[in-house]
Amino acid sequence: MKKPFVTAQQLQAITQQYPTPFHLYNEKGIRETARALKAAFAWNPGFKEYFAVKATPTPTILKILQEEGCGTDCSSLTELMLSDKCGFSGSEIMFSSNETPAEEYALAAKLGATINLDDFTHIDFLKDTIGYIPETISCRFNPGGVFQLGESKEGFQVMDTPGDSKYGFTREQLFEGFRKLKSMGANRFGIHAFLASNTLSDEYYPALAGILFRLAADLQKETGCHVCFINLSGGVGIPYRPDQRANDIAAIGAGVKEQYEKILVPAGMDDVAIFTELGRYMLGPNGCLVTKVLHFKHTYKEYVGVDACAANLMRPAMYGAYHHISVMGKEDLPCDHVYDVVGGLCENNDKFAIDRALPEIALGDLLVIHDSGAHGFSMGYNYNGKLRSAELLLKEDGSVKLIRRAETPEDYFSTMIFE
Ligand SMILES: *Cc1c(COP(=O)(O)O)cnc(C)c1O
């Protein structure tokens, strides 16, 4: 059973002060997750997590992660600016972008961020933009084909198609790219790959590590480039559904260590640092969307209308993604009613849940929509003139702090030009 990190009683008090809808984050959970990740990779002295800013671009959250030793992973101008404003600098910032505008490379270089190139042609583009090639440089690898793991009767545990994805260098381009970058002045190299998203398998990172470690050993041997870090990027998933098993981060860290000792150590590469760029794993379960029941509608189905909508959490509408829902105060009642839980957009896909078994819902009930901490608020948009919600932090001492105010109509109108 999935339990909210906040009680019905706490939420009653919070909603006295802050109107729904809002995203609520769990400081204790964020810190515990960051510490568990760090402990899982403590065997690697250079280990660092670069939190994927796009998952939760909120200053207070980034600060908490910074206190836990994390850097940031950015892929746009404003994500770089946000990192800078939050006090991240130099090697604390990873810049893993694609189709990158010149001004973004210029800012990344100015901040001293580690630049992770997405394509061979970006080598010359970067040189032309900033006038030099940084000493430390990284390239994103795409092995092509299909990536799959853990075949069973139910199918593959992990399955994705890097060959269809727009990211990264081919193997040949990577060898040529490293030689070229070296000739242009680079001397500390990194490689990066992101082969599958939201994986629920302790085998994903170790399998990816195996691929990247072998590649790094070949690259160092054949090009003479010193590979200093290997970036396993994001992709470690979370159990959105109550019957799914959470990843065991300690087992994942141990699995990567095994590959490290099997491949890198014998290649004389025991100085390689391991980096991660996790977003979902760090924040997903540590945030939820809180919304209030406004209306019931009984037509061909039973609808529960809430004050949040897909503009606050887009994943169900966009991917048909499952997000668990708790009816607060009724967590222990039987789920003997079936509802569609819907928002107010004039879009028929604005449904947080379809045919969901829930306890009997009453007007005014508070619903917690779980696992909105990553790729939740951040994917929000203004369609139908909906305003972005507030973000709140449930602190370790049980108090609540506003960490982003809700948008106002003034914010919405601020970019419009009235003739
Ligand atoms: C989105 C993204 C991540 C984070 O992915 P998660 O699935 O949230 O772990 C990391 N690195 C890059 C380059 C990304 O685009």
Side-chain angles (χ1 to χ4, degrees):
M1 204 178 105
K2 260 170 129 45
K3 246 178 81 109
F5 57 77
V6 61
T7 65
Q9 214 175 8
Q10 278 175 308
L11 266 191
Q12 280 301 342
I14 296 168
T15 52
Q16 296 296 309
Q17 198 178 354
Y18 301 103
T20 53
F22 53 78
H23 287 268
L24 179 68
Y25 300 91
N26 179 14
E27 178 177 10
K28 184 163 176 280
I30 297 169
R31 290 191 188 276
E32 284 172 358
T33 308
R35 285 172 198 175
L37 174 67
K38 210 168 146 185
F41 286 90
W43 55 268
N44 183 255
F47 175 77
K48 196 171 179 74
E49 151 73 0
Y50 292 85
F51 176 68
V53 173
K54 74 167 192 266
T56 323
T58 308
T60 306
I61 302 289
L62 299 183
K63 285 284 196 193
I64 291 171
L65 291 169
Q66 188 177 40
E67 285 169 16
E68 298 299 335
C70 303
T72 58
D73 167 42
C74 303
S75 48
S76 67
L77 189 73
T78 50
E79 287 179 358
L80 285 167
M81 291 167 74
L82 175 58
S83 298
D84 183 34
K85 280 175 187 284
C86 290
F88 294 88
S89 65
S91 61
E92 291 176 319
I93 307 175
M94 184 68 58
F95 187 54
S96 292
S97 63
N98 65 96
E99 313 317 326
T100 314
E103 58 177 359
E104 301 191 2
Y105 276 139
L107 181 58
K110 187 169 152 233
L111 297 177
T114 302
I115 294 176
N116 181 33
L117 298 171
D118 183 66
D119 186 56
F120 186 83
T121 62
H122 284 223
I123 298 171
D124 284 332
F125 185 81
L126 177 64
K127 172 83 196 290
D128 292 344
T129 301
I130 63 172
Y132 62 97
I133 289 294
E135 286 191 13
T136 300
I137 195 85
S138 174
C139 295
R140 183 166 183 165
F141 173 54
N142 182 335
V146 176
F147 177 80
Q148 52 200 25
L149 280 180
E151 190 176 6
S152 71
K153 274 203 289 291
E154 292 86 52
F156 291 101
Q157 253 179 61
V158 173
M159 155 112 192
D160 223 314
T161 50
D164 289 337
S165 98
K166 65 175 178 171
Y167 307 108
F169 292 54
T170 66
R171 185 180 166 97
E172 293 68 33
Q173 289 171 339
L174 206 55
F175 281 77
E176 204 182 325
F178 267 41
R179 287 194 181 94
K180 180 169 170 137
L181 286 162
K182 191 178 177 209
S183 76
M184 293 164 93
N187 59 32
R188 300 182 71 252
F189 289 80
I191 49 177
H192 167 285
F194 190 156
L195 302 188
S197 198
N198 191 29
T199 58
L200 277 182
S201 162
D202 296 341
E203 299 305 314
Y204 169 63
Y205 257 8
L208 171 63
I211 293 170
L212 291 183
F213 293 172
R214 272 188 275 281
L215 175 65
D218 291 349
L219 275 166
Q220 183 154 311
K221 199 163 114 209
E222 287 181 35
T223 66
C225 294
H226 184 199
V227 178
C228 298
F229 57 90
I230 291 175
N231 187 339
L232 302 175
S233 191
V236 175
I238 58 167
Y240 285 100
R241 291 176 182 272
D243 58 347
Q244 288 173 323
R245 169 191 164 273
N247 284 315
D248 176 351
I249 201 68
I252 290 174
V256 174
K257 179 170 190 254
E258 203 175 296
Q259 296 297 317
Y260 195 97
E261 285 169 354
K262 201 167 95 188
I263 302 165
L264 287 183
V265 174
M269 297 171 70
D270 61 358
D271 58 342
V272 173
I274 303 299
F275 296 162
T276 56
E277 297 175 340
L278 296 169
R280 193 185 315 270
Y281 179 79
M282 302 299 284
L283 254 295
N286 296 317
C288 63
L289 173 60
V290 179
T291 185
K292 192 168 37 202
V293 175
L294 296 182
H295 297 287
F296 286 113
K297 175 166 177 159
H298 172 69
T299 52
Y300 307 102
K301 297 186 87 173
E302 294 293 330
Y303 292 100
V304 172
V306 297
D307 60 5
C309 67
N312 303 111
L313 175 65
M314 172 181 221
R315 300 185 71 260
M318 189 172 180
Y319 311 121
Y322 180 96
H323 278 263
H324 199 64
I325 296 178
S326 294
V327 184
M328 297 309 286
K330 301 181 178 176
E331 293 93 324
D332 298 325
L333 297 186
C335 293
D336 52 5
H337 286 64
V338 174
Y339 298 108
D340 281 13
V341 178
V342 303
L345 289 187
C346 299
E347 276 281 338
N348 195 38
N349 64 359
D350 186 11
K351 294 172 180 166
F352 290 114
I354 297 174
D355 296 331
R356 182 76 57 90
L358 291 167
E360 184 170 15
I361 293 177
L363 284 182
D365 276 353
L366 291 173
L367 307 187
V368 159
I369 304 180
H370 291 243
D371 302 316
S372 75
H375 313 294
F377 175 92
S378 64
M379 288 174 83
Y381 55 110
N382 280 132
Y383 190 55
N384 255 179
K386 295 289 184 183
L387 304 174
R388 286 182 180 77
S389 79
E391 294 183 292
L392 307 177
L393 181 69
L394 179 61
K395 298 190 15 170
E396 286 185 292
D397 64 8
S399 65
V400 165
K401 188 171 135 191
L402 182 70
I403 58 173
R404 186 195 301 264
R405 69 164 174 81
E407 278 182 349
T408 62
E410 289 68 39
D411 295 318
Y412 179 72
F413 289 120
S414 65
T415 55
M416 293 185 190
I417 297 167
F418 292 92
E419 297 290 336

